[in-house]
Amino acid sequence: MSRRADRAKEAHRRLVRRKITEFLPIIVLIILAIVVVLTIRKNRIHEPREPRPIPTVSPTRSVRRPVIPPMPPSTGSDDSLRLRFEHLVKNHPDLEVRKGIIEAGKNKNLKFSAETNPHVTAYLGIQRRTTLGLTYDNLGGRPFVAVMSVDIKNLEKIRTQDEMLDFMATLGHEYQHYKEWVVAPFEWWRDFETHEFGTIMTLDECSRMFKGELRGYHYQCEKLLEWGVRPTERMQNLCPHVGTPEFPEKLIKHLEGTTTAESNPECIPIWAEVARQARTRR
């Protein structure tokens, strides 16, 4: 009985060895095929590729055109100017901008001013406080309050939907500067003051100015395109490039035709360096 069992075991081992011998070439081929496939994939991952072409225009956007109620009539009085400004704020399509300006006004941390300024539609500055803010924090306790100033002529001539939306995009631009003021340390307060024409700015001041304008104009162009508003003639050379690596350089060209660059030509090389760094980081 023992010999019969031994013979059976030996026969089983021979059968297993024969099967292994038969399938071994197939197993080796499968392993070789896997190695070849993995090698090819590895080489493809690390082989040099053509860089993606840099877009020359802004990516296609879906247009969501808001409908704004008609503007209150303009009589040229301070009250009518304020009503028109409040109308643009209360109906602003961007909830953050709308709530932010209204809240800042209620808390006496932001004031509205209408003035004759042929150089800009609107700008954000600061002036000495006459009353403390109602937020009872660093912002409310500062000796200066932010002022959003708008040009009277531009505010009075608004009639159409496009004109309202265009002005609202500008208000959103200035609101980006207000957010910068909110978090600005004491050393940066000078950035928001109105200076005499030709006042020399430091390297850091020039750099912060350009970065702030990048944020402001980026917002403004994004909203004009999003709302389906045709940019003004000057902005047509800038807004189609929003979201592309060329946008900072295009902004420098845009600013070169403004009093900002004329007053501070020392800033232009610094802006160019900031633009170069922004492009390199992309």
Side-chain angles (χ1 to χ4, degrees):
M1 184 72 179
S2 177
R3 289 180 179 178
R4 185 179 297 175
D6 290 341
R7 286 198 295 271
K9 289 180 179 179
E10 181 62 28
H12 178 70
R13 283 195 290 269
R14 286 198 298 271
L15 178 62
V16 171
R17 285 197 294 269
R18 188 169 67 250
K19 293 293 185 182
I20 291 174
T21 303
E22 290 175 357
F23 285 102
L24 184 60
I26 298 174
I27 295 172
V28 171
L29 287 174
I30 292 173
I31 293 173
L32 286 174
I34 292 173
V35 171
V36 169
V37 169
L38 291 176
T39 302
I40 292 173
R41 289 189 63 184
K42 182 179 179 181
N43 290 337
R44 283 183 177 177
I45 290 172
H46 294 284
E47 68 185 4
R49 298 183 181 183
E50 288 294 321
R52 292 183 178 180
I54 297 174
T56 56
V57 295
S58 184
T60 303
R61 291 170 174 78
S62 58
V63 175
R64 294 178 293 177
R65 188 173 177 83
V67 178
I68 311 300
M71 278 286 279
S74 175
T75 63
S77 68
D78 290 346
D79 287 342
S80 72
L81 290 172
R82 177 171 291 281
L83 284 174
R84 289 169 76 81
F85 177 79
E86 291 176 351
H87 177 84
L88 294 170
V89 171
K90 291 176 181 177
N91 292 285
H92 200 291
D94 187 333
L95 181 61
E96 181 194 358
V97 173
R98 182 168 71 245
K99 291 182 65 176
I101 294 178
I102 292 174
E103 284 294 316
K106 287 180 178 178
N107 290 327
K108 299 187 182 300
N109 288 325
L110 178 63
K111 295 174 62 177
F112 161 72
S113 173
E115 60 183 56
T116 300
N117 191 331
H119 303 295
V120 294
T121 301
Y123 71 94
L124 187 99
I126 58 174
Q127 64 179 221
R128 283 280 177 183
R129 279 188 181 276
T130 55
T131 58
L132 291 176
L134 302 181
T135 47
Y136 305 107
D137 56 7
N138 172 271
L139 181 64
R142 291 179 185 179
F144 296 97
V145 61
V147 182
M148 190 174 290
S149 300
V150 300
D151 177 52
I152 293 175
K153 183 177 179 181
N154 278 289
L155 186 56
E156 283 185 327
K157 73 179 185 181
I158 297 173
R159 297 287 185 276
T160 67
Q161 288 284 311
D162 272 12
E163 289 169 346
M164 283 190 285
L165 290 170
D166 182 82
F167 204 96
M168 288 170 165
T170 301
L171 292 181
H173 174 145
E174 298 309 322
Y175 182 70
Q176 306 312 305
H177 295 321
Y178 173 73
K179 292 195 296 183
E180 294 164 11
W181 162 250
V182 169
V183 298
F186 170 77
E187 299 79 25
W188 295 3
W189 290 4
R190 184 176 182 271
D191 296 356
F192 300 88
E193 294 177 354
T194 302
H195 303 290
E196 292 292 329
F197 189 91
T199 300
I200 301 298
M201 298 181 68
T202 67
L203 185 151
D204 288 340
E205 288 170 343
C206 290
S207 178
R208 287 195 298 269
M209 176 200 288
F210 187 68
K211 290 176 181 178
E213 293 305 331
L214 269 177
R215 286 186 286 268
Y217 277 103
H218 187 278
Y219 176 93
Q220 188 172 351
C221 285
E222 282 280 3
K223 291 307 176 184
L224 289 175
L225 296 176
E226 178 186 326
W227 298 338
V229 180
R230 182 177 176 82
T232 60
E233 185 175 351
R234 288 197 67 244
M235 296 286 280
Q236 286 175 22
N237 295 322
L238 175 65
C239 288
H241 301 274
V242 66
T244 74
E246 289 84 8
F247 188 71
E249 284 92 349
K250 294 294 182 182
L251 179 57
I252 293 175
K253 292 291 185 184
H254 179 82
L255 292 175
E256 283 177 350
T258 66
T259 54
T260 301
E262 293 174 1
S263 178
N264 300 103
E266 72 278 5
C267 286
I268 296 178
I270 299 168
W271 297 346
E273 177 59 22
V274 173
R276 187 193 65 77
Q277 292 174 2
R279 185 177 186 125
T280 302
R281 286 195 297 269
R282 295 184 72 87

